[in-house]
Amino acid sequence: MTSRLHRGALLHFLDDPTKTAEDSYAYFSNGALLVEDGKVIAAGAADEVQTQVPLGTPVVEHADALLMPGFIDTHVHYPQLDIVGAHGEQLLEWLERYVFPTEAKFGDYAHARAVADRFLAELLRNGTTTALVFGTVHPESVDAFFDAAAERNLRMIAGKVMMDRNAPAYLCDDPESAYRDSRRLIERWHGKGRASYAVTPRFAPTSSPAQLAAAGRLLREFPGIYLHTHMSENISEVSWVRELFPHVDHYLHSYDEAGLLGRRSVFAHCIHLSEEEWERMASTGCGAAFCPTSNLFLGSGLFPLREAERFGVEVGLGTDIGAGTSFSLLQTIDAAYKVQQLQGASLSPLKSFYLATLGGARVLDLEDSLGNFLPGKEADFVVLDLAATPLLANRLSHCENLFETLFVLSTLGDDRCIRENWVLGELAHERHKEFVDLSA
Ligand code: GUN
Ligand code: ZN
């Protein structure tokens, strides 16, 4: 039995601050987190938690730090690591010019595994512990990813891309092979350790109605698996869907008619939706991934967070690497604030840190396991360094309360703020050591 007591400032969320401002979070400036066998036993004020600590329990002190649940990235593409920051295009041209050629390499397990290892190292050094991840059309890409995640004990959700039209032939499957390959991967990976499977049609333009129907069949046959796709990211994409599916009422309908909507269905972007689509997402329990650095980078548009709130659709944050430009959820929060500013809305830092933790867990239907420090939750947590840079230390010394501190942390913070990342109660990343290793 391994147990440790972590001492330091502690913050976690209990609910959405938009719904219940006062009781939505718990903050302890002199806090403690008791972890045993990878699970949270207790979290709270140090003097209260102390009474529950067995004699001889090792104590880890975290000075000038803030402990939070590990960040959750609700939409990201691991095979796009090598094309982050590809210049000059909007979505559809960017896919043709940069994405498809790089994804072509993932039929080779060794290549996929090497990229998956680099990708997971990036997640950890940015404070992320769980993600909903696109593979490529190749089953090897998913085997490589889950092998790499299992080696690090990470809770990850991923799947093979389904794509049978409007893409280069070298990247296309067909409805039958997509069904067969996905089914094999579900049987091999879903529920194995911390892995879960997501049926992953790329988006409606690259899947025939027959292939979307095959995705729906998998969802019916394997309760508990996820649906992960893109929707309404870009105006030209929305028009294209109207041409490709002349009989549907709107974009969401192309997925709805295939039986793809449900509590474990996550749609990335959701920028250009009608009220009817928001309503239908809410009534079927679908979640949305808000990917602000990606939306700005590709010039896709501004995510209407207030609409999602108005209709009651759960939202998480996504980095959407490689259209997104940072692995850091702190940087993603910073971009999310600016995207809301451009719409005349002021995103509270309490809300945005909720989105990066408990909100993400809710979108992924993982609230029972992740998202905060309630007893019994899996002990994935990040240690944020409040003195990571001279500018940050100086600016934080002028903050008068938690609200200001969080906001400055997201405005000035990035991977330099991730002092440590702990997975199931074990140290998985240590920034100080990284520098020692690099200079060795
Ligand atoms: N829509 C379809 N495929 C993609 C992709 O790989 N990235 C983004 N951002 N949007 C998409
Ligand atoms: Zn994406």
Side-chain angles (χ1 to χ4, degrees):
M1 198 165 67
T2 318
S3 62
R4 284 191 192 90
L5 181 72
H6 295 268
R7 292 183 49 130
L10 212 80
L11 172 69
H12 66 142
F13 290 87
L14 305 168
D15 204 350
D16 183 343
T18 311
K19 292 183 198 152
T20 54
E22 280 306 295
D23 301 326
S24 65
Y25 68 94
Y27 173 67
F28 307 95
S29 55
N30 183 14
L33 175 68
L34 178 61
V35 174
E36 193 175 287
D37 288 339
K39 295 272 174 73
V40 174
I41 301 297
D47 49 3
E48 280 171 29
V49 174
Q50 202 76 46
T51 61
Q52 302 177 48
V53 179
L55 218 61
T57 302
V59 177
V60 187
E61 298 283 353
H62 301 280
D64 291 326
L66 177 62
L67 274 63
M68 288 187 65
F71 296 141
I72 297 178
D73 187 342
T74 62
H75 177 68
V76 60
H77 301 249
Y78 98 81
Q80 295 177 13
L81 177 75
D82 293 345
I83 56 142
V84 175
H87 175 260
E89 307 290 357
Q90 295 211 346
L91 175 64
L92 301 175
E93 297 74 24
W94 172 82
L95 286 172
E96 292 278 345
R97 182 166 167 196
Y98 299 112
V99 172
F100 294 151
T102 206
E103 292 195 2
K105 302 174 198 158
F106 285 73
D108 172 7
Y109 178 93
H111 173 76
R113 179 60 200 259
V115 176
D117 283 330
R118 286 203 297 281
F119 173 86
L120 291 174
E122 278 300 327
L123 289 193
L124 287 172
R125 63 187 300 289
N126 279 280
T128 300
T129 47
T130 283
L132 175 57
V133 183
F134 257 68
T136 64
V137 73
H138 316 91
E140 293 85 351
S141 72
V142 174
D143 286 328
F145 180 76
F146 279 136
D147 279 337
E151 210 163 80
R152 293 163 176 83
N153 262 331
L154 289 166
R155 183 168 285 292
M156 289 287 154
I157 310 168
K160 170 204 124 59
V161 166
M162 302 169 79
M163 176 155 69
D164 68 348
R165 63 174 178 175
N166 296 320
Y170 60 79
L171 273 183
C172 281
D173 54 12
D174 58 62
E176 294 72 32
S177 70
Y179 173 84
R180 248 190 348 264
D181 288 344
S182 301
R183 189 186 169 102
R184 255 201 308 269
L185 289 167
I186 292 164
E187 288 167 346
R188 185 175 306 153
W189 290 110
H190 185 67
K192 184 174 178 191
R194 301 185 88 195
S196 296
Y197 194 84
V199 172
T200 309
R202 170 161 234 120
F203 63 160
T206 52
S207 283
S208 63
Q211 184 169 67
L212 294 178
R217 184 173 160 202
L218 288 165
L219 291 171
R220 282 193 303 282
E221 289 172 349
F222 296 94
I225 62 173
Y226 290 82
L227 183 280
H228 184 199
T229 190
H230 299 93
M231 178 166 65
S232 276
E233 175 177 6
N234 166 294
I235 294 287
S236 307
E237 169 208 2
V238 175
S239 310
W240 197 17
V241 170
R242 216 172 288 131
E243 284 167 31
L244 290 167
F245 295 80
H247 60 285
V248 300
D249 298 334
H250 43 61
Y251 198 149
L252 182 68
H253 193 185
S254 66
Y255 297 134
D256 200 354
E257 67 173 1
L260 304 189
L261 312 192
R263 182 62 192 91
R264 289 196 163 192
S265 300
V266 181
F267 296 89
H269 307 303
C270 300
I271 295 172
H272 311 285
L273 293 184
S274 62
E275 294 204 341
E276 208 181 318
E277 287 170 294
W278 281 115
E279 248 165 39
R280 181 72 182 147
M281 281 185 76
S283 67
T284 51
C286 295
F290 173 16
C291 307
T293 72
S294 164
N295 299 158
L296 295 171
F297 183 74
L298 291 181
S300 301
L302 306 175
F303 178 75
L305 181 59
R306 282 176 300 187
E307 288 293 270
E309 287 172 350
R310 183 158 74 91
F311 287 96
V313 171
E314 298 285 356
V315 175
L317 293 174
T319 62
D320 195 25
I321 293 292
T325 51
S326 174
F327 274 91
S328 168
L329 266 291
L330 296 174
Q331 288 283 286
T332 305
I333 287 172
D334 176 56
Y337 176 78
K338 292 167 182 169
V339 164
Q340 297 312 304
Q341 281 287 71
L342 285 167
Q343 299 174 86
S346 173
L347 177 60
S348 144
L350 291 172
K351 172 79 179 204
S352 53
F353 278 85
Y354 158 82
L355 292 176
T357 55
L358 184 60
R362 285 181 172 173
V363 163
L364 301 180
D365 195 23
L366 290 175
E367 190 178 355
D368 288 347
S369 316
L370 292 177
N372 58 25
F373 291 140
L374 291 182
K377 297 271 181 126
E378 295 168 1
D380 293 348
F381 61 94
V382 61
V383 179
L384 295 160
D385 184 349
L386 300 179
T389 69
L391 179 63
L392 182 69
N394 173 69
R395 180 64 183 86
L396 289 179
S397 75
H398 297 281
C399 289
E400 291 180 354
N401 53 44
L402 177 68
F403 186 97
E404 286 181 22
T405 299
L406 290 176
F407 186 59
V408 168
L409 192 55
S410 66
T411 304
L412 298 180
D414 51 30
D415 54 338
R416 292 169 294 179
C417 296
I418 309 304
R419 185 188 292 166
E420 293 169 5
N421 199 342
W422 293 71
V423 173
L424 289 182
E426 298 298 327
L427 187 58
H429 168 75
E430 204 174 352
R431 183 167 166 77
H432 167 70
K433 281 275 173 56
E434 184 180 56
F435 284 112
V436 173
D437 291 348
L438 280 177
S439 60

